[in-house]
C-alpha cells in the first residue's frame, strides 16, 4: 500500500532529480568553506603569555617560570625566564602544529634546552631536556597556565 512516501526504487518522490543532486554539493561547499575558515584562523599571529613551574626531575628541584610565545602560523618564538633555584633565561624557536609545541634554544648559561608538549587555549604542559656543554643531560617537566593573549 502506498502512503505517499517514495520507496527505495522511485526517483525521489516530489523532489526533481536536479534538486536532489544539488543538495549534497551545497553541503560540500559549506563544509569546505568551514575548513578553510578554520585554517585561516589558526594561521593568525598571536602572543601568548604563560606562567607556571618547571621541575628538574634529575635534581628534584622546582622553580617558578614565565614563558611568552609568539606564533606566526606554525612557526613560534619564545622567551623563557626561570627563577631560582633553577637557571634558564633565554630565547627559543620552534613550531606549533595541531596542539603540539616544540621549542629549543641555546642559553647563555652554557646549555641547550628543548621543550616538547601539548598546548591548548588554557595551558602548555610537557617535558624538557637540558643538554649542558659539560656534564650530564638532565630531564624535567613543565606546567604553564595562560595569563594573556595578544592578537
Amino acid at each position: 500500500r502506498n502512503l505517499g512516501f517514495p520507496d527505495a526504487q522511485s526517483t525521489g518522490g516530489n523532489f526533481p532529480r536536479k534538486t536532489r543532486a544539488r543538495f549534497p554539493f551545497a553541503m560540500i561547499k559549506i563544509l569546505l568553506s568551514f575548513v578553510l575558515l578554520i585554517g585561516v584562523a589558526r594561521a593568525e599571529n598571536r602572543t601568548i603569555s604563560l606562567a607556571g613551574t618547571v621541575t628538574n626531575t634529575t635534581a628534584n628541584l622546582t622553580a617558578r617560570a614565565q614563558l611568552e610565545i609568539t606564533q606566526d602560523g606554525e612557526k613560534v618564538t619564545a622567551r623563557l625566564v626561570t627563577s631560582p633555584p633553577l637557571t634558564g633565561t633565554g630565547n627559543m624557536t620552534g613550531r606549533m602544529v595541531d596542539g603540539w609545541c616544540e621549542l629549543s634554544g641555546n642559553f647563555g648559561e652554557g646549555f641547550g634546552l628543548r621543550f616538547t608538549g601539548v598546548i591548548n587555549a588554557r595551558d602548555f604542559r610537557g617535558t624538557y631536556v637540558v643538554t649542558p656543554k659539560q656534564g650530564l643531560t638532565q630531564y624535567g617537566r613543565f606546567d604553564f597556565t595562560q595569563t594573556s593573549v595578544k592578537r
Side-chain angles (χ1 to χ4, degrees), residues 114-125:
R114 187 180 67 211
F115 275 22
T116 304
V118 177
I119 191 164
N120 60 37
R122 293 177 305 278
D123 39 43
F124 179 32
R125 295 181 176 151

Side-chain angles (χ1 to χ4, degrees), residues 54-104:
V54 289
T55 300
N56 181 319
T57 55
T58 304
N60 198 26
L61 293 172
T62 299
R64 304 281 312 149
Q66 290 80 40
L67 182 67
E68 185 172 272
I69 298 174
T70 301
Q71 180 182 7
D72 181 10
E74 285 186 7
K75 294 180 183 178
V76 291
T77 56
R79 175 88 177 145
L80 175 69
V81 177
T82 306
S83 300
L86 298 176
T87 60
T89 296
N91 297 318
M92 304 169 82
T93 59
R95 52 184 255 159
M96 189 181 307
V97 179
D98 294 331
W100 284 94
C101 184
E102 295 179 346
L103 296 168
S104 62

